[in-house]
């Protein structure tokens, strides 16, 4: 099936996220749902970029301390529903925290400690910003920003296995985690 040129168009953004290096890949991208002017990009060179003008220009932020240049170091992004300046970045957490948070559009990051050593494959933020969910290769977890603690959702009768993705379903008020072959599991915070 060939694309219809009258309905589909592809355009390349002019910004070079690799700064001339040929081996740099974009590992994650996300747009603030309430206002598409605000966007984030993370690269395999462990650089974080923020745009507030729909990607016409980009500001490079500080990378989280401890993350190395590898595509696993930033393969999941979730933006807080309330403010575009609050973003969560997930990736390899085998020898450092697997999730970091910024509340200043990527200028600085703080670790969300307490996850077991794992690879974070997906992130989602609840509608009020209190809870952050992480789908990982060792299970499903939810972080409470008030108590600053992770809950292992698999201890609540969910299967102990890899969770590949997670979404916040606002209409249902729950996180929805997906597995590889063991179904879809919901977690209702509160």
């Amino acid at each position: 099936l060939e694309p219809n040129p009258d309905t589909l168009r592809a355009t390349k953004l002019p910004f070079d996220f690799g700064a001339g290096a040929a081996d740099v890949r974009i590992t994650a991208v996300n747009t603030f749902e309430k206002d598409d002017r605000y966007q984030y990009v993370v690269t395999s060179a462990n650089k974080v970029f923020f745009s507030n003008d729909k990607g016409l220009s980009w500001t490079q932020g500080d990378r989280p301390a401890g993350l190395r240049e590898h595509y696993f170091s930033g393969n999941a992004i979730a933006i807080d529903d309330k403010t575009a300046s609050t973003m969560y970045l997930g990736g390899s957490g085998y020898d450092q925290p697997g999730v970091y948070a910024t509340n200043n559009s990527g200028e600085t990051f703080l670790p969300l400690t307490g996850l077991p050593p794992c690879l974070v494959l997906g992130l989602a933020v609840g509608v009020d910003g209190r809870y952050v969910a992480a789908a990982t290769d060792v299970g499903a977890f939810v972080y409470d920003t008030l108590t600053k603690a992770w809950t292992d959702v698999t201890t609540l009768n969910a299967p102990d296995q890899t969770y590949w993705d997670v979404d916040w379903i606002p209409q249902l008020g729950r996180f929805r985690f997906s597995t590889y072959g063991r179904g879809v599991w919901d977690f209702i915070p509160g």
Side-chain angles (χ1 to χ4, degrees):
L1 188 65
E2 292 191 27
N4 181 342
D6 295 328
T7 59
L8 297 174
R9 297 200 193 317
T11 58
K12 181 180 178 182
L13 294 177
F15 190 80
D16 180 7
F17 293 99
D23 61 342
V24 175
R25 309 286 185 255
I26 292 175
T27 59
V29 63
N30 205 338
T31 301
F32 185 51
E33 196 169 308
K34 292 183 178 179
D35 188 343
D36 66 353
R37 291 179 298 165
Y38 302 99
Q39 302 174 10
Y40 289 91
V41 168
V42 181
T43 71
S44 59
N46 203 28
K47 305 291 185 208
V48 177
F49 297 90
F50 174 73
S51 175
N52 61 8
D53 58 8
K54 295 186 178 188
L56 296 175
S57 64
W58 294 89
T59 302
Q60 182 179 319
D62 239 1
R63 69 183 193 155
L67 286 184
R68 290 186 217 39
E69 292 185 16
H70 191 276
Y71 68 94
F72 284 157
S73 294
N75 59 316
I77 298 175
I79 304 170
D80 190 309
D81 189 39
K82 294 183 299 187
T83 174
S85 62
T86 301
M87 183 267 285
Y88 298 89
L89 174 64
S92 176
Y94 294 111
D95 56 359
Q96 71 269 337
V99 179
Y100 290 83
T102 179
N103 62 8
N104 54 20
S105 304
E107 288 181 35
T108 59
F109 285 87
L110 293 173
L112 302 185
T113 58
L115 275 179
C118 64
L119 174 60
V120 177
L121 300 164
L123 289 172
V125 181
V127 72
D128 63 357
R130 178 173 175 184
Y131 297 101
V132 179
T136 79
D137 64 346
V138 298
F141 298 87
V142 175
Y143 184 80
D144 185 332
T145 61
L146 293 182
T147 64
K148 301 198 181 318
W150 289 96
T151 297
D152 182 350
V153 177
T154 62
T155 62
L156 305 172
N157 296 322
D160 180 14
Q161 71 147 70
T162 299
Y163 286 76
W164 288 95
D165 201 13
V166 61
D167 289 306
W168 172 252
I169 312 296
Q171 300 86 344
L172 302 175
R174 63 190 64 191
F175 290 105
R176 182 156 287 166
F177 291 89
S178 61
T179 67
Y180 187 68
R182 297 289 305 274
V184 175
W185 295 79
D186 285 354
F187 175 79
I188 302 168

